[in-house]
Amino acid sequence: MSKGNKQALRKSINCRLTDATVVEMQNIEQAFVIKSSNTPSVTEEKVDGHSSEEIINLDHGDPTMYESYWKNVGSKYTVTIPAYQSLSYFSNAKNLCWFLEPKLEEEIKKLHKVVGNAIVQDHYIVVGTGSSQLIQAALYALCDSLNEPNPISVVSAAPYYSSYPEVTDFLRSRLFKWGGDARSFDEDGPYIEMVTSPNNPDGVLREPVVKRAKGMLIHDFAYYWPQYTAITSPADHDIMLFTVSKCTGHAGSRIGWALVRDQNVAKKMVKFVELNTIGVSKEAQLRAAKILEVITASCQRVKPHDLENFFEHTHNLMAERWKKLQDSVKNNKLFYVQKYPLQQCNFTGDFTETYPAFAWLKSKEGIDCEKLLREHKILTRSGRRFGSDQEYVRISMLSRVDEFDLFLQRLSTIRRISSGNSEL
Amino acid sequence: MSKGNKQALRKSINCRLTDATVVEMQNIEQAFVIKSSNTPSVTEEKVDGHSSEEIINLDHGDPTMYESYWKNVGSKYTVTIPAYQSLSYFSNAKNLCWFLEPKLEEEIKKLHKVVGNAIVQDHYIVVGTGSSQLIQAALYALCDSLNEPNPISVVSAAPYYSSYPEVTDFLRSRLFKWGGDARSFDEDGPYIEMVTSPNNPDGVLREPVVKRAKGMLIHDFAYYWPQYTAITSPADHDIMLFTVSKCTGHAGSRIGWALVRDQNVAKKMVKFVELNTIGVSKEAQLRAAKILEVITASCQRVKPHDLENFFEHTHNLMAERWKKLQDSVKNNKLFYVQKYPLQQCNFTGDFTETYPAFAWLKSKEGIDCEKLLREHKILTRSGRRFGSDQEYVRISMLSRVDEFDLFLQRLSTIRRISSGNSEL
């Protein structure tokens, strides 16, 4: 490891465990909260790769991998916002989604056209504070007008995104409730199925599984972008959710958008965002518009610019990381990762595997995989959180390069000391 | 009216009614949606002041009045955000509020210290996507851990902010429900009282009214800033909500903050924002930090800058508008506005009246004031929406100057043609 890399690593790893430390991983922020008599401190020593003193946090999908691309882009694509701009609540009072910045709407349309991953025509665009807000907006929109006596069940096939149950139930709404694994759902009446494709956590391309007459679908397409998967056809569903977080890496902006076919559903979603947050930050929308503009420009064959094709660049990064991970576990008796089928991508024209944003790592039967990795100071999210088993963990593939390499290095050592694990 | 003003007015008024038009004012966005066979268009003619062709929309409190100050500030305080900045979900993983930008936290503390309107010490700062989100976060935080069998009542003394009932009830939570006017609340058990001071809609300085042992309080201080009211003492309550929207005029940023005494309540509020939107836009926070920095700098007596004191400037604007409004209704037999007592302001050292962000206009008994004004193409919000009577309307005092002047001009004509109103 070079000296420069070590310095970067010192910055990227900012927690140190003491004996008295208990790490809680119930949710995204707790994964960072180190309960200790000492305040967590920056590790200034022992950063030589596999010291047991450092935590590698791959529990959440923080997309810091993308920073290097955006640093190379340079200052030309900086956003500047003068003090007098965007004071009003309104972006375009004549639009159904009155808080959607026209520039963002334009860039969303252009990007979908260039990538070919969704049909925008005949859909309304509703912007949200991340796609999390839009999931809740869609649940509200679909349930509020039905006037059902009981809450409508929200289901998704296991393993499902670990936030769906909590986001559905935290306010104990009478409109909807979490209904669990779609495969075992057998109630009559209306229901909502979340279809995540490629799926979080396991990267599988998905279709609905319940398929009953009274079903309503929300397609979560956070990962349906060319760096992760072949774009096999433009998606064309009633409610499709996207987010800049996993597309461009700008998770801090909290910008998502929904493509919604039905006008009344779109209006109700807008109503939700109005009641919940009175619209969506204008600064974040203007920045997201600029970022999407850069990405679209980077895909143009005739280049009026010096931008490297964003999706090619990040696709190559993902392929490289997945190859490294597969190599790392190939001769390992403890861990397995899934292989994905080759498919032709309409965006690149080439055949490609899926390179998911998360690895869905399986350990040998009987092992509590999350616990085992935690003993080695690798924080991941247990399969149990996704309606699956303790043998599985979800591991972010989107960390900074030094963290990722350190993770692989440490993973490879677990094989050698695995007999010391109490569960083996 | 000058030619320049007329041109500005043409831009600021962008809707035209036709005979077939129906205006709905049930909520903030619908107040802008003109249902018509024609698309609403920019009025290019008949802008000579009191033409019945133009709509003046003062239904919502869009703070565009502040634009002129920020235009004068110039380009020195522009925010620039490079493409690689703020990709992560996290702002400061070691902070209880892990998505709060350190710079914003610093500027919030400085501003409260300079203005003297709230005690920050011994409080946690929780940032939100506007204070609307923080109201919901506070309701969740206060109710979720109580495990009450029935939803906890949320009350506020009438006239109360028209959004409280809808924001409390729209998801039909089992945790809390709207309980109506605090003055007629007589249930036993825990309850939450919203205390808005100065109050929206009527500008009155308020204290809690229920005052029972099991009461929990949320103080909404959106308007407790020197342009609107005397700062009589630094507020020091369990949960205090603020927003840049009404302080600086940057409603489009969607940035609010809560000062929260109890650590567990603050943690739960953070949890709400995590589940609801996974944090708050970094761009909006960075911009808000810069804007607060400018305001604080503008208040410094020894000036290292050319900034006009923001609160003095805007206080003078408010005083001027209120004088004009009072003059306009003084000899009018139809309308009345409240007078506010003089109080000493610790911030300026001077005595001042309250100059609320909204006028709480009362009409002669028996008149549906909102309907009457609507007939004259002035959109306001009926007193009924605030738990009050049809004789009252709430009118925004924060519109652009041309809109405000046109409103006064048109208001003065209503007296002369009031006999034509069907309700008189």
Side-chain angles (χ1 to χ4, degrees):
Chain A
M1 185 179 282
S2 73
K3 197 177 167 191
N5 279 351
K6 281 187 191 171
Q7 281 178 335
L9 186 56
R10 284 193 186 101
K11 285 181 191 162
S12 73
I13 299 172
N14 60 4
C15 300
R16 182 170 52 176
L17 283 180
T18 68
D19 289 341
T21 299
V22 179
V23 180
E24 286 193 336
M25 302 200 301
Q26 290 307 303
N27 49 49
I28 193 168
E29 103 276 19
Q30 284 177 329
F32 257 94
V33 175
I34 311 300
K35 287 188 180 169
S36 165
S37 52
N38 302 323
T39 308
S41 61
V42 176
T43 304
E44 292 293 346
E45 68 280 351
K46 295 183 186 168
V47 285
D48 290 320
H50 48 85
S51 159
S52 61
E53 290 283 69
E54 305 125 28
I55 296 173
I56 305 170
N57 193 331
L58 303 173
D59 170 77
H60 54 275
D62 207 21
T64 46
M65 179 188 87
Y66 294 97
E67 264 177 15
S68 55
Y69 179 88
W70 293 110
K71 276 185 178 159
N72 285 337
V73 154
S75 59
K76 207 161 39 172
Y77 302 100
T78 291
V79 169
T80 60
I81 306 174
Y84 64 83
Q85 197 177 331
S86 302
L87 270 75
S88 174
Y89 290 101
F90 296 88
S91 293
N92 178 1
K94 293 175 198 163
N95 195 340
L96 180 140
C97 187
W98 52 268
F99 47 78
L100 169 59
E101 285 289 307
K103 177 74 178 157
L104 179 59
E105 180 171 15
E106 184 189 327
E107 294 302 334
I108 287 169
K109 287 179 180 171
K110 277 191 198 162
L111 183 62
H112 281 305
K113 195 175 172 192
V114 163
V115 173
N117 61 343
I119 299 285
V120 179
Q121 215 180 1
D122 300 326
H123 286 82
Y124 296 90
I125 298 179
V126 181
V127 67
T129 309
S131 61
S132 303
Q133 187 180 41
L134 293 170
I135 292 169
Q136 295 156 72
L139 296 181
Y140 170 77
L142 294 175
C143 298
D144 189 53
S145 47
L146 287 185
N147 288 318
E148 288 287 311
N150 297 313
I152 290 170
S153 287
V154 180
V155 299
S156 189
Y160 42 72
Y161 177 30
S162 51
S163 286
Y164 289 154
E166 210 170 5
V167 161
T168 307
D169 281 345
F170 77 120
L171 284 171
R172 301 194 217 160
S173 174
R174 288 188 180 85
L175 296 175
F176 43 77
K177 64 165 191 204
W178 177 243
D181 186 354
R183 290 200 184 83
S184 52
F185 180 73
D186 61 356
E187 290 170 26
D188 289 329
Y191 66 92
I192 295 169
E193 182 174 351
M194 302 292 308
V195 182
T196 315
S197 185
N199 190 39
N200 173 0
D202 67 358
V204 172
L205 295 177
R206 285 196 157 179
E207 301 281 339
V209 305
V210 184
K211 293 177 186 166
R212 293 199 199 153
K214 290 188 176 172
M216 298 172 281
L217 301 175
I218 299 173
H219 280 81
D220 185 340
F221 283 134
Y223 304 96
Y224 193 45
W225 295 103
Q227 66 266 55
Y228 303 120
T229 187
I231 303 301
T232 52
S233 67
D236 188 14
H237 303 284
D238 289 348
I239 302 178
M240 302 185 277
L241 306 183
F242 295 88
T243 165
V244 296
S245 302
K246 303 306 157 83
C247 171
T248 75
H250 292 80
S253 302
R254 314 308 312 121
I255 291 293
W257 66 93
L259 304 180
V260 184
R261 183 142 29 212
D262 183 87
Q263 191 187 53
N264 287 328
V265 172
K267 272 187 186 171
K268 277 265 185 187
M269 288 179 71
V270 166
K271 178 80 183 165
F272 178 94
V273 177
E274 178 200 324
L275 288 167
N276 188 207
T277 56
I278 319 187
V280 175
S281 158
K282 305 286 180 278
E283 294 88 350
Q285 291 190 62
L286 294 171
R287 174 108 182 291
K290 172 62 78 177
I291 296 293
L292 298 191
E293 185 186 358
V294 173
I295 289 183
T296 300
S298 84
C299 298
Q300 287 171 340
R301 299 218 170 139
V302 182
K303 289 187 189 302
H305 54 73
D306 54 357
L307 294 163
E308 187 181 357
N309 184 309
F310 174 80
F311 292 116
E312 265 178 37
H313 175 86
T314 52
H315 183 262
N316 291 343
L317 273 183
M318 292 306 295
E320 188 188 315
R321 288 192 174 193
W322 271 93
K323 185 168 184 327
K324 281 184 181 178
L325 177 66
Q326 277 153 353
D327 287 349
S328 175
V329 300
K330 197 157 42 184
N331 300 314
N332 189 309
K333 298 283 190 297
L334 272 181
F335 302 112
Y336 316 90
V337 285
Q338 192 166 344
K339 279 286 279 182
Y340 298 89
L342 277 177
Q343 289 188 289
Q344 188 164 20
C345 177
N346 293 340
F347 174 72
T348 61
D350 298 332
F351 278 82
T352 179
E353 290 179 38
T354 300
Y355 300 117
F358 298 102
W360 185 233
L361 193 79
K362 189 178 186 306
S363 63
K364 220 170 124 174
E365 219 160 300
I367 295 179
D368 183 334
C369 191
E370 183 266 311
K371 193 180 165 203
L372 172 63
L373 292 175
R374 180 151 44 97
E375 285 166 5
H376 294 268
K377 314 286 187 281
I378 301 169
L379 305 188
T380 61
R381 198 170 291 184
S382 171
R384 287 185 300 248
R385 302 269 314 277
F386 302 87
S388 184
D389 304 318
Q390 63 167 11
E391 284 87 1
Y392 287 93
V393 290
R394 191 194 75 168
I395 298 175
S396 171
M397 296 291 283
L398 303 183
S399 63
R400 292 187 183 89
V401 62
D402 289 327
E403 279 174 297
F404 184 75
D405 288 344
L406 180 60
F407 154 66
L408 289 185
Q409 202 173 350
R410 198 174 296 172
L411 192 72
S412 68
T413 68
I414 295 179
R415 178 170 44 134
R416 296 196 294 273
I417 61 163
S418 58
S419 56
N421 181 265
S422 58
E423 303 215 8
L424 290 179
Chain B
M1 185 181 278
S2 74
K3 198 178 168 189
N5 279 351
K6 280 187 193 172
Q7 280 177 338
L9 185 56
R10 283 193 186 101
K11 285 182 191 162
S12 72
I13 299 171
N14 60 7
C15 301
R16 182 170 52 175
L17 284 180
T18 67
D19 289 340
T21 300
V22 179
V23 180
E24 285 193 335
M25 304 199 301
Q26 290 307 304
N27 49 48
I28 192 167
E29 103 275 20
Q30 285 177 327
F32 258 94
V33 175
I34 311 299
K35 288 188 181 169
S36 166
S37 52
N38 301 322
T39 309
S41 61
V42 176
T43 303
E44 292 292 348
E45 68 281 349
K46 294 184 187 168
V47 285
D48 291 318
H50 47 85
S51 157
S52 61
E53 289 283 68
E54 308 123 27
I55 296 173
I56 306 170
N57 192 331
L58 303 173
D59 171 77
H60 54 275
D62 208 22
T64 45
M65 179 189 86
Y66 294 97
E67 263 177 16
S68 55
Y69 179 89
W70 294 109
K71 278 186 176 158
N72 283 337
V73 153
S75 58
K76 207 161 40 175
Y77 303 99
T78 290
V79 169
T80 59
I81 306 174
Y84 65 81
Q85 197 177 331
S86 302
L87 270 76
S88 174
Y89 290 101
F90 295 89
S91 294
N92 178 3
K94 294 175 195 161
N95 195 341
L96 180 141
C97 187
W98 52 268
F99 46 79
L100 169 59
E101 284 290 308
K103 178 72 179 158
L104 179 59
E105 181 171 16
E106 185 189 326
E107 294 301 335
I108 287 169
K109 287 179 180 171
K110 276 191 200 163
L111 182 62
H112 281 306
K113 196 174 170 192
V114 163
V115 173
N117 61 342
I119 300 285
V120 178
Q121 214 180 4
D122 302 325
H123 286 82
Y124 297 90
I125 299 179
V126 180
V127 67
T129 309
S131 61
S132 302
Q133 187 181 39
L134 293 169
I135 292 169
Q136 294 157 72
L139 296 181
Y140 170 77
L142 294 175
C143 298
D144 188 54
S145 47
L146 287 185
N147 287 317
E148 288 287 312
N150 297 312
I152 290 170
S153 287
V154 180
V155 300
S156 190
Y160 42 71
Y161 176 30
S162 51
S163 285
Y164 290 153
E166 207 169 8
V167 160
T168 307
D169 281 345
F170 77 119
L171 285 170
R172 301 193 216 162
S173 174
R174 288 186 181 84
L175 297 175
F176 44 77
K177 65 165 191 206
W178 177 243
D181 186 354
R183 290 200 183 84
S184 52
F185 180 72
D186 61 357
E187 290 171 26
D188 289 329
Y191 66 91
I192 295 169
E193 182 175 349
M194 304 292 306
V195 182
T196 314
S197 184
N199 190 43
N200 173 359
D202 66 358
V204 172
L205 295 177
R206 283 196 160 180
E207 302 282 336
V209 305
V210 184
K211 295 179 186 167
R212 292 197 200 156
K214 291 188 176 172
M216 297 173 282
L217 301 175
I218 299 173
H219 281 79
D220 187 339
F221 284 135
Y223 304 96
Y224 192 44
W225 295 103
Q227 66 267 52
Y228 303 120
T229 186
I231 304 300
T232 52
S233 67
D236 187 14
H237 303 284
D238 289 349
I239 302 177
M240 301 184 278
L241 306 182
F242 294 89
T243 166
V244 296
S245 302
K246 303 304 158 84
C247 171
T248 76
H250 291 80
S253 303
R254 312 309 312 123
I255 291 293
W257 66 92
L259 305 179
V260 184
R261 184 148 21 220
D262 184 85
Q263 191 186 54
N264 287 327
V265 173
K267 273 187 183 169
K268 276 266 185 186
M269 288 179 71
V270 166
K271 178 82 183 163
F272 178 94
V273 177
E274 179 200 323
L275 289 167
N276 188 207
T277 55
I278 319 186
V280 175
S281 159
K282 305 287 181 275
E283 294 89 349
Q285 290 189 64
L286 295 171
R287 173 109 184 293
K290 172 62 81 180
I291 295 294
L292 297 191
E293 186 187 357
V294 173
I295 290 183
T296 300
S298 83
C299 297
Q300 288 172 341
R301 297 215 174 147
V302 183
K303 290 189 189 300
H305 54 73
D306 55 356
L307 293 163
E308 187 181 357
N309 184 310
F310 174 78
F311 292 116
E312 267 178 35
H313 175 86
T314 51
H315 183 263
N316 292 342
L317 273 184
M318 292 306 295
E320 189 188 315
R321 288 193 174 194
W322 271 93
K323 185 169 183 326
K324 281 186 183 175
L325 177 65
Q326 278 153 351
D327 287 350
S328 175
V329 300
K330 199 158 40 184
N331 301 313
N332 190 309
K333 301 282 189 301
L334 271 180
F335 303 113
Y336 317 90
V337 286
Q338 193 165 345
K339 278 287 279 182
Y340 298 91
L342 276 178
Q343 289 188 290
Q344 189 166 20
C345 177
N346 293 340
F347 174 72
T348 59
D350 298 330
F351 278 81
T352 178
E353 289 179 41
T354 301
Y355 299 116
F358 298 102
W360 186 234
L361 192 79
K362 189 177 186 306
S363 61
K364 219 170 127 177
E365 220 161 302
I367 295 179
D368 182 334
C369 191
E370 183 267 310
K371 191 178 168 207
L372 171 64
L373 292 174
R374 181 152 43 95
E375 285 167 4
H376 293 269
K377 313 286 186 282
I378 302 169
L379 305 188
T380 62
R381 198 171 290 185
S382 171
R384 287 184 300 247
R385 300 270 313 276
F386 303 86
S388 185
D389 304 316
Q390 64 166 11
E391 284 87 3
Y392 287 93
V393 291
R394 190 193 76 168
I395 298 174
S396 172
M397 295 291 283
L398 304 182
S399 62
R400 292 187 184 90
V401 62
D402 289 327
E403 279 174 296
F404 184 76
D405 288 343
L406 181 59
F407 154 66
L408 289 185
Q409 203 173 349
R410 199 174 296 174
L411 191 71
S412 68
T413 68
I414 295 180
R415 182 171 40 136
R416 295 196 295 271
I417 61 163
S418 58
S419 57
N421 182 267
S422 57
E423 303 217 7
L424 290 179

mmCIF file of all heavy atoms in Angstrom, chain A residues 67 200 217 227 304 339 387 390 401 415:
data_model
loop_
_atom_site.group_PDB
_atom_site.id
_atom_site.type_symbol
_atom_site.label_atom_id
_atom_site.label_comp_id
_atom_site.label_asym_id
_atom_site.label_seq_id
_atom_site.Cartn_x
_atom_site.Cartn_y
_atom_site.Cartn_z
ATOM 1 N N GLU A 67 -16.874 9.483 -6.046
ATOM 2 C CA GLU A 67 -16.136 10.738 -5.831
ATOM 3 C C GLU A 67 -14.993 10.931 -6.817
ATOM 4 O O GLU A 67 -14.756 12.040 -7.302
ATOM 5 C CB GLU A 67 -15.556 10.763 -4.411
ATOM 6 C CG GLU A 67 -16.397 11.487 -3.403
ATOM 7 C CD GLU A 67 -15.807 11.410 -2.001
ATOM 8 O OE1 GLU A 67 -14.611 11.049 -1.867
ATOM 9 O OE2 GLU A 67 -16.551 11.689 -1.056
ATOM 10 N N ASN A 200 -32.460 -4.894 -4.414
ATOM 11 C CA ASN A 200 -31.669 -4.630 -3.226
ATOM 12 C C ASN A 200 -32.207 -5.581 -2.170
ATOM 13 O O ASN A 200 -33.377 -5.455 -1.811
ATOM 14 C CB ASN A 200 -31.857 -3.154 -2.822
ATOM 15 C CG ASN A 200 -31.216 -2.805 -1.489
ATOM 16 O OD1 ASN A 200 -30.627 -3.644 -0.832
ATOM 17 N ND2 ASN A 200 -31.366 -1.550 -1.098
ATOM 18 N N LEU A 217 -48.774 -1.832 -8.159
ATOM 19 C CA LEU A 217 -47.325 -2.049 -8.191
ATOM 20 C C LEU A 217 -46.560 -0.735 -8.064
ATOM 21 O O LEU A 217 -46.947 0.288 -8.639
ATOM 22 C CB LEU A 217 -46.921 -2.717 -9.509
ATOM 23 C CG LEU A 217 -47.575 -4.066 -9.806
ATOM 24 C CD1 LEU A 217 -47.167 -4.539 -11.195
ATOM 25 C CD2 LEU A 217 -47.180 -5.103 -8.750
ATOM 26 N N GLN A 227 -24.289 1.011 -15.121
ATOM 27 C CA GLN A 227 -23.103 0.545 -14.386
ATOM 28 C C GLN A 227 -23.396 -0.731 -13.606
ATOM 29 O O GLN A 227 -22.473 -1.467 -13.259
ATOM 30 C CB GLN A 227 -22.527 1.629 -13.463
ATOM 31 C CG GLN A 227 -23.382 2.062 -12.282
ATOM 32 C CD GLN A 227 -24.225 3.264 -12.589
ATOM 33 O OE1 GLN A 227 -24.990 3.248 -13.569
ATOM 34 N NE2 GLN A 227 -24.139 4.295 -11.770
ATOM 35 N N PRO A 304 -18.427 17.308 -27.433
ATOM 36 C CA PRO A 304 -18.048 18.723 -27.380
ATOM 37 C C PRO A 304 -17.351 19.007 -26.045
ATOM 38 O O PRO A 304 -17.405 20.100 -25.535
ATOM 39 C CB PRO A 304 -19.400 19.434 -27.445
ATOM 40 C CG PRO A 304 -20.358 18.474 -26.803
ATOM 41 C CD PRO A 304 -19.784 17.080 -26.921
ATOM 42 N N LYS A 339 -23.446 -15.751 -8.983
ATOM 43 C CA LYS A 339 -23.055 -15.348 -10.344
ATOM 44 C C LYS A 339 -24.319 -14.889 -11.073
ATOM 45 O O LYS A 339 -25.421 -15.410 -10.841
ATOM 46 C CB LYS A 339 -22.441 -16.543 -11.092
ATOM 47 C CG LYS A 339 -20.991 -16.808 -10.762
ATOM 48 C CD LYS A 339 -20.038 -15.783 -11.384
ATOM 49 C CE LYS A 339 -19.754 -16.120 -12.863
ATOM 50 N NZ LYS A 339 -18.788 -15.134 -13.429
ATOM 51 N N GLY A 387 -35.624 -10.114 5.480
ATOM 52 C CA GLY A 387 -36.583 -11.220 5.426
ATOM 53 C C GLY A 387 -35.919 -12.509 5.014
ATOM 54 O O GLY A 387 -36.587 -13.444 4.540
ATOM 55 N N GLN A 390 -29.717 -15.765 8.554
ATOM 56 C CA GLN A 390 -28.505 -15.238 9.159
ATOM 57 C C GLN A 390 -27.239 -15.612 8.373
ATOM 58 O O GLN A 390 -26.194 -15.020 8.588
ATOM 59 C CB GLN A 390 -28.374 -15.729 10.598
ATOM 60 C CG GLN A 390 -28.225 -17.248 10.709
ATOM 61 C CD GLN A 390 -27.785 -17.684 12.095
ATOM 62 O OE1 GLN A 390 -27.778 -16.890 13.024
ATOM 63 N NE2 GLN A 390 -27.403 -18.946 12.232
ATOM 64 N N VAL A 401 -12.166 3.361 -2.676
ATOM 65 C CA VAL A 401 -11.337 2.241 -3.131
ATOM 66 C C VAL A 401 -10.484 1.651 -2.009
ATOM 67 O O VAL A 401 -10.341 0.427 -1.908
ATOM 68 C CB VAL A 401 -10.483 2.637 -4.372
ATOM 69 C CG1 VAL A 401 -9.502 3.765 -4.052
ATOM 70 C CG2 VAL A 401 -9.732 1.437 -4.931
ATOM 71 N N ARG A 415 -10.869 -16.698 6.555
ATOM 72 C CA ARG A 415 -10.760 -18.125 6.259
ATOM 73 C C ARG A 415 -9.720 -18.795 7.155
ATOM 74 O O ARG A 415 -9.922 -19.877 7.666
ATOM 75 C CB ARG A 415 -10.361 -18.251 4.788
ATOM 76 C CG ARG A 415 -10.146 -19.638 4.305
ATOM 77 C CD ARG A 415 -10.013 -19.599 2.791
ATOM 78 N NE ARG A 415 -9.154 -18.493 2.369
ATOM 79 C CZ ARG A 415 -8.183 -18.626 1.459
ATOM 80 N NH1 ARG A 415 -7.953 -19.781 0.902
ATOM 81 N NH2 ARG A 415 -7.449 -17.589 1.105
#
